[in-house]
Amino acid sequence: MSRQSSSIQSPYPYSHQHQLSRSAYPIFLSLQETIKLQLTWASRGILEAFRWDVVVKTATSDREIRSNILKSLLLNSLSLTSIYAFDLLLQPLVHNHPGWLHRNVGWFYRVLWLFPVVGVSYYLNSSWCNLIAKRSFVLQHGNRSAHQQPVTYNGMLTMLATSAYRAVMILTSVIVSLALGSIPIAGPWMSFAFMCWVNAYYCFEFVWVARSSSLAQRVRHLEERWAYYFAFGLPSAVICNCGSGLANAALFALMFPAFIIMAMHARPVPQDPYNPAPFTESTDAMRFPSPLVPIRMPVFAIVIWLNDLIVRVLSVGGSAGTRHRRTPSETTEQAEEGAGVELRNVGRTARGDSPAVQARRLGERPPRNGKAPSAVRRKRD
């Protein structure tokens, strides 16, 4: 009898308890729906990587962008001509010539002409692409869209360390690509897929820098939208595989300004990788992707690990090494240490200024030992 009364006096019926427990459980999309969404995002990335109308419109509408694109085309065309002049003309002429000239003509040509031309092209392309990216960003978003940080000593150190870290990241990306290509059977395909993401990263890097995104935020943004960025970097990766060696780099540099402009006008999807499906009238709850398809693909995990390893080796035994170790992210989940310090300072200011800062605002002498001034204490009493 007591058991029956206790079951009758239950505060919640079984159906209500079942609804509460079911609402607390996360809702997942099916595998088919998740794959369909990934293919949709990839198709959008392909389409936005072929928006040549945007490139033509941007180049024709602005004189500065047009002049920098023309200079980049001329210089990279010279690099390609120099590379293929040796492969197609000079090398066949001395192929059957015995002796010292045959053994060393290629070395002389590379050292005296090819390497200087490629080095100058890399330096000038970097400056021209920066100008193209900044001008395109201003034309699209206005002068006030890019967040300008005040120039400080710590800011300059962070900027220099980040630039050096970026150069190391380019080197380690090439090393990882070559290492993946040496794997039997699946290696070339893995290397090609990795280069698709690497090319997409450097096409969008100017956008992220203009929006003051840290290195870890850039990497996380790409890895959580891996299908879109893979498709966006696919055309440039195919172009880079048309040649060999230095020719691939020259081909990529030839097309790089156009891909920067297309990246400026691109809209990476999804906006929220953890809730990619739009809300409907029947289901207004948050729906996660299928657990069988990863939300975040750790594309740059090995690259970031190698970067941090190289930076630690180069910075052993010096005080500057501590600064360099703080700038790169130890994992791709966190922002650089310099950005984190700034955020902590902002949070501290938002919560309330220190007594010394409050005293300066009131025109009084800063307190000692963190205590409030006597006038303030009397007023509070």
Side-chain angles (χ1 to χ4, degrees), residues 182-235:
S182 62
I183 299 176
I185 303 175
W189 296 100
M190 296 171 62
S191 177
F192 177 78
F194 178 72
M195 288 309 301
C196 290
W197 282 306
V198 171
N199 292 350
Y201 175 86
Y202 287 111
C203 290
F204 279 87
E205 188 180 29
F206 296 93
V207 186
W208 297 328
V209 170
R211 294 174 179 172
S212 301
S213 297
S214 64
L215 176 64
Q217 290 171 346
R218 303 170 212 165
V219 172
R220 184 185 184 94
H221 189 273
L222 183 143
E223 291 180 343
E224 290 179 345
R225 295 156 182 85
W226 53 269
Y228 172 87
Y229 285 107
F230 172 82
F232 189 92
L234 182 62

Side-chain angles (χ1 to χ4, degrees), residues 327-339:
T327 301
S329 57
E330 294 180 358
T331 64
T332 56
E333 296 286 343
Q334 298 176 352
E336 290 103 338
E337 189 75 13

